[in-house]
Short mmCIF file of all heavy atoms in Angstrom, two decimals:
data_model
loop_
_atom_site.label_atom_id
_atom_site.label_comp_id
_atom_site.label_asym_id
_atom_site.label_seq_id
_atom_site.Cartn_x
_atom_site.Cartn_y
_atom_site.Cartn_z
N VAL A 56 -83.47 18.45 -65.08
CA VAL A 56 -84.52 19.48 -65.08
C VAL A 56 -85.27 19.37 -66.40
O VAL A 56 -84.67 19.48 -67.47
CB VAL A 56 -83.95 20.89 -64.91
CG1 VAL A 56 -85.05 21.93 -64.99
CG2 VAL A 56 -83.21 21.02 -63.57
N ALA A 83 -80.73 3.48 -44.95
CA ALA A 83 -79.82 2.52 -44.33
C ALA A 83 -79.64 2.82 -42.84
O ALA A 83 -79.64 1.91 -42.00
CB ALA A 83 -78.48 2.54 -45.04
N ALA A 117 -91.21 -5.12 -5.22
CA ALA A 117 -92.14 -4.58 -6.23
C ALA A 117 -91.49 -3.44 -7.02
O ALA A 117 -91.77 -3.24 -8.20
CB ALA A 117 -93.42 -4.09 -5.55
N HIS A 134 -88.73 1.46 -30.26
CA HIS A 134 -88.89 0.60 -31.44
C HIS A 134 -89.94 1.17 -32.39
O HIS A 134 -89.75 1.19 -33.62
CB HIS A 134 -89.28 -0.82 -31.00
CG HIS A 134 -89.42 -1.76 -32.15
ND1 HIS A 134 -90.64 -2.10 -32.70
CD2 HIS A 134 -88.48 -2.43 -32.88
CE1 HIS A 134 -90.47 -2.94 -33.70
NE2 HIS A 134 -89.15 -3.16 -33.83
N GLY A 140 -89.51 6.20 -38.36
CA GLY A 140 -88.42 6.88 -39.07
C GLY A 140 -88.03 6.16 -40.33
O GLY A 140 -87.75 6.78 -41.36
N GLN A 173 -83.01 20.70 -50.75
CA GLN A 173 -83.22 20.44 -49.33
C GLN A 173 -84.72 20.35 -49.07
O GLN A 173 -85.51 21.04 -49.71
CB GLN A 173 -82.60 21.55 -48.48
CG GLN A 173 -81.12 21.75 -48.65
CD GLN A 173 -80.30 20.64 -48.01
OE1 GLN A 173 -80.82 19.85 -47.21
NE2 GLN A 173 -79.02 20.55 -48.36
N LEU A 187 -107.53 33.87 -63.45
CA LEU A 187 -106.73 34.98 -62.97
C LEU A 187 -107.65 36.00 -62.29
O LEU A 187 -108.84 36.10 -62.63
CB LEU A 187 -105.97 35.66 -64.12
CG LEU A 187 -104.96 34.80 -64.87
CD1 LEU A 187 -104.41 35.56 -66.07
CD2 LEU A 187 -103.81 34.38 -63.95
N VAL A 193 -109.41 48.79 -51.45
CA VAL A 193 -110.36 49.89 -51.58
C VAL A 193 -110.65 50.49 -50.21
O VAL A 193 -110.89 49.76 -49.25
CB VAL A 193 -111.68 49.39 -52.22
CG1 VAL A 193 -112.70 50.50 -52.30
CG2 VAL A 193 -111.40 48.82 -53.60
N PRO A 194 -110.62 51.82 -50.07
CA PRO A 194 -110.95 52.45 -48.79
C PRO A 194 -112.35 52.07 -48.31
O PRO A 194 -113.27 51.91 -49.13
CB PRO A 194 -110.85 53.95 -49.08
CG PRO A 194 -109.95 54.04 -50.28
CD PRO A 194 -110.21 52.81 -51.08
N ALA A 199 -119.55 51.35 -49.80
CA ALA A 199 -120.99 51.54 -49.98
C ALA A 199 -121.31 51.93 -51.42
O ALA A 199 -122.30 51.47 -51.99
CB ALA A 199 -121.50 52.60 -49.01
N TRP A 218 -108.76 46.79 -72.38
CA TRP A 218 -109.81 46.82 -71.37
C TRP A 218 -110.54 45.48 -71.36
O TRP A 218 -110.76 44.88 -72.42
CB TRP A 218 -110.82 47.93 -71.67
CG TRP A 218 -110.30 49.32 -71.44
CD1 TRP A 218 -109.45 50.02 -72.24
CD2 TRP A 218 -110.59 50.16 -70.33
NE1 TRP A 218 -109.19 51.25 -71.70
CE2 TRP A 218 -109.88 51.37 -70.53
CE3 TRP A 218 -111.38 50.02 -69.20
CZ2 TRP A 218 -109.95 52.43 -69.62
CZ3 TRP A 218 -111.46 51.08 -68.30
CH2 TRP A 218 -110.74 52.26 -68.52
N ARG A 238 -109.92 44.44 -48.99
CA ARG A 238 -109.36 43.80 -50.19
C ARG A 238 -110.49 43.33 -51.09
O ARG A 238 -111.46 42.70 -50.64
CB ARG A 238 -108.46 42.65 -49.79
CG ARG A 238 -107.81 41.93 -50.97
CD ARG A 238 -106.43 41.46 -50.64
NE ARG A 238 -105.51 42.58 -50.52
CZ ARG A 238 -104.20 42.43 -50.38
NH1 ARG A 238 -103.66 41.23 -50.35
NH2 ARG A 238 -103.41 43.49 -50.29
N PRO A 252 -99.74 36.51 -64.15
CA PRO A 252 -99.62 36.96 -62.76
C PRO A 252 -98.47 37.96 -62.59
O PRO A 252 -97.42 37.84 -63.21
CB PRO A 252 -99.33 35.66 -62.00
CG PRO A 252 -99.94 34.59 -62.84
CD PRO A 252 -99.73 35.03 -64.26
N THR A 282 -102.89 70.82 -74.54
CA THR A 282 -103.86 69.82 -74.95
C THR A 282 -105.10 70.56 -75.42
O THR A 282 -105.66 71.40 -74.67
CB THR A 282 -104.21 68.89 -73.79
OG1 THR A 282 -103.04 68.23 -73.33
CG2 THR A 282 -105.23 67.85 -74.23
N TYR A 285 -109.60 71.43 -82.22
CA TYR A 285 -109.99 72.48 -83.16
C TYR A 285 -111.51 72.58 -83.14
O TYR A 285 -112.22 71.60 -83.40
CB TYR A 285 -109.47 72.17 -84.56
CG TYR A 285 -108.03 72.56 -84.75
CD1 TYR A 285 -107.01 71.62 -84.64
CD2 TYR A 285 -107.68 73.88 -85.03
CE1 TYR A 285 -105.68 71.98 -84.81
CE2 TYR A 285 -106.37 74.26 -85.19
CZ TYR A 285 -105.36 73.30 -85.08
OH TYR A 285 -104.05 73.68 -85.25
N ALA A 287 -114.99 74.44 -84.53
CA ALA A 287 -115.52 75.19 -85.68
C ALA A 287 -116.00 76.57 -85.24
O ALA A 287 -116.66 76.71 -84.20
CB ALA A 287 -116.67 74.41 -86.31
N SER A 294 -110.71 77.10 -84.88
CA SER A 294 -109.77 77.74 -83.96
C SER A 294 -109.35 76.70 -82.92
O SER A 294 -110.16 75.88 -82.49
CB SER A 294 -110.41 78.95 -83.29
OG SER A 294 -111.53 78.56 -82.52
#
Side-chain angles (χ1 to χ4, degrees):
V56 177
H134 182 261
Q173 300 287 345
L187 298 174
V193 177
W218 289 76
R238 181 145 289 188
T282 300
Y285 279 98
S294 62

